[in-house]
Amino acid sequence: MTRTFWVILALILVVVGGFASMLSFGSGGERRVPWRKPAAAVEAVAVPAPTGELAVPVSGVPRKAIADSWNDERGGGMRGHHGTDIMAPGGTPVVAAAPGRIEKLFQSGLGGITLYVRSPDRRWTYYYAHLAGYAAGLREGMPVKTGDVLGYVGDTGDAGAGNYHLHFGLTRMQPGQRWYEGENVNPYPLLAGSRSPR
């Protein structure tokens, strides 16, 4: 072997060794900590929607049938659930829980077929996910009244085949925020009627 070969080999080993020293292997790297449901005393202060109590967004489901699934484990225990799941047979009409304007129709990997309704004062967004489909004629920018049919209960997104339910979310918005921004708020007390409006 020539001297040039050994010099080139040495340079390659130095470069590879330098690059390897910048990488982190084993326990020295970033650690993912499993999500833990916060204690009741630590949970965020509940904020009423501007209209007070919300209508149940799934036709025929009584308030007493809704369970509080806020902050339940999701994603293999790596995140909390930011909404309320309302169980119902596939195809059950999903209705507007409050008046507003359809801000976004969206296909999401987690939420499947989704839609976002923005309140008239633009301070709240109501999120409807895992739909089987939208109601006929639904379009972005369209005004809706409480009880208007928006779509149908499905199992799209990460719901899982046959796990028919509506994921309903509530987000407090700041001026200028878009449909995917804002602060998640637990909608359960407003759906279950367990809190009086302020």
Side-chain angles (χ1 to χ4, degrees):
M1 306 251 170
T2 68
R3 182 174 179 203
T4 307
F5 170 79
W6 290 110
V7 170
I8 292 173
L9 181 61
L11 286 173
I12 290 172
L13 291 174
V14 167
V15 169
V16 169
F19 179 72
S21 71
M22 291 187 287
L23 298 177
S24 176
F25 297 99
S27 63
E30 181 182 353
R31 216 177 98 207
R32 291 184 70 182
V33 178
W35 174 89
R36 300 225 189 282
K37 186 171 184 169
V42 180
E43 290 193 20
V45 174
V47 178
T51 55
E53 194 173 271
L54 297 171
V56 175
V58 180
S59 291
V61 173
R63 290 186 188 282
K64 65 183 178 185
I66 301 172
D68 189 358
S69 56
W70 180 259
N71 265 336
D72 285 353
E73 289 186 6
R74 294 292 189 271
M78 299 311 292
R79 60 184 167 85
H81 185 241
H82 291 156
T84 297
D85 287 342
I86 303 171
M87 310 311 284
T92 303
V94 170
V95 299
R101 188 170 297 277
I102 297 173
E103 184 147 313
K104 188 70 176 175
L105 302 176
F106 188 68
Q107 179 73 36
S108 159
L110 292 176
I113 299 171
T114 68
L115 69 86
Y116 296 76
V117 174
R118 190 80 169 250
S119 66
D121 63 7
R122 302 194 50 77
R123 292 179 51 218
W124 300 92
T125 297
Y126 309 102
Y127 174 62
Y128 305 80
H130 304 309
L131 301 173
Y134 301 120
L138 211 66
R139 66 187 185 289
E140 290 179 7
M142 178 178 169
V144 295
K145 301 182 305 295
T146 301
D148 283 353
V149 176
L150 302 175
Y152 305 93
V153 170
D155 60 356
T156 59
D158 72 347
N163 184 20
Y164 297 107
H165 69 281
L166 172 71
H167 169 97
F168 181 78
L170 176 63
T171 307
R172 180 178 25 219
M173 308 297 286
Q174 298 298 322
Q177 286 186 317
R178 302 201 48 209
W179 56 275
Y180 55 86
E181 299 173 316
E183 175 190 358
N184 292 315
V185 174
N186 185 358
Y188 173 76
L190 299 166
L191 293 170
S194 61
R195 182 182 330 128
S196 56
R198 295 183 193 167

